[in-house]
């Protein structure tokens, strides 16, 4: 026997995106009850900014509707950081009737490196010219960078051939 009130919310989902970007999920809510009902939508448990396209859905019996949930990945999020939000739909006709879906968002790893500054020096024949360069990890993950010299006409040496840098 079908109940007068009921709701289904689906599906659980997991997505990833780059730090500083938004990830959008589409959820479907269905009134599985026998009477028309309105459902309050809410997001809980999240750390990252989460926005629902609507906070209330009214449905006839057996009717469905889609809505979106947008999660903003913080610009400084480290690679592989995750945030989970639980989206709930609660019946206004029978508040004890509810359903939920879990959304897991992961910040993707970003890799990058810069080397600066460009330099030119003069040296007396037989003497050495010393350069100080700055290696910057512009990604959001700890990474190891191998250093090499190329394109030189005279012998050149590096003080380090590998550096491990945090984000």
């Amino acid at each position: 026997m079908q109940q007068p009130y009921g709701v289904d919310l689906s599906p659980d989902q997991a997505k990833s995106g780059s730090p500083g970007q938004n990830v959008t999920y589409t959820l479907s809510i269905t009134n599985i009850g026998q009477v028309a009902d309105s459902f309050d939508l809410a997001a809980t448990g999240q750390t990252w900014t989460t926005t629902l396209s609507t906070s209330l859905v009214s449905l006839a019996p057996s009717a469905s509707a889609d809505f979106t949930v947008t999660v903003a990945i913080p610009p400084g999020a480290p690679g592989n950081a995750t945030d989970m939000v639980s989206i709930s739909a609660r019946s206004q006709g029978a508040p004890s009737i509810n359903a939920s879906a879990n959304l897991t968002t992961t910040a993707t790893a970003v890799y990058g490196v810069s080397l600066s500054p460009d330099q030119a020096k003069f040296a007396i024949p037989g003497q050495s010219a010393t350069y100080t360069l700055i290696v910057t990890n512009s990604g959001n993950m700890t990474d190891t960078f191998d250093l090499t010299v190329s394109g030189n006409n005279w012998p050149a040496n590096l003080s380090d051939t590998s550096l491990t840098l945090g984000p």
Side-chain angles (χ1 to χ4, degrees), residues 112-137:
V113 64
S114 66
L115 183 65
S116 62
D118 288 341
Q119 299 178 40
K121 290 190 177 185
F122 296 96
I124 298 172
Q127 291 187 345
S128 298
T130 301
Y131 297 89
T132 300
L133 300 172
I134 300 169
V135 179
T136 303
N137 179 355

Side-chain angles (χ1 to χ4, degrees), residues 68-118:
T68 61
V69 178
T70 302
V71 177
I73 301 173
N80 300 321
T82 62
D83 191 54
M84 191 184 86
V85 59
S86 180
I87 306 300
S88 63
R90 182 169 309 284
S91 166
Q92 286 187 346
S96 64
I97 302 296
N98 61 71
S100 64
N102 293 315
L103 308 176
T104 303
T105 307
T106 302
T108 55
V110 176
Y111 295 94
V113 64
S114 66
L115 183 65
S116 62
D118 288 341

Side-chain angles (χ1 to χ4, degrees), residues 35-56:
V35 297
D37 199 357
S38 294
F39 303 93
D40 294 311
L41 303 176
T44 58
Q46 75 278 10
T47 302
W48 297 345
T49 301
T50 302
T51 307
L52 282 70
S53 61
T54 185
S55 62
L56 179 68

Side-chain angles (χ1 to χ4, degrees), residues 135 137 141-146 162-167:
V135 179
N137 179 355
M141 300 284 293
T142 296
D143 201 356
T144 300
F145 302 96
D146 294 326
S162 181
L163 296 173
T164 300
L165 301 173

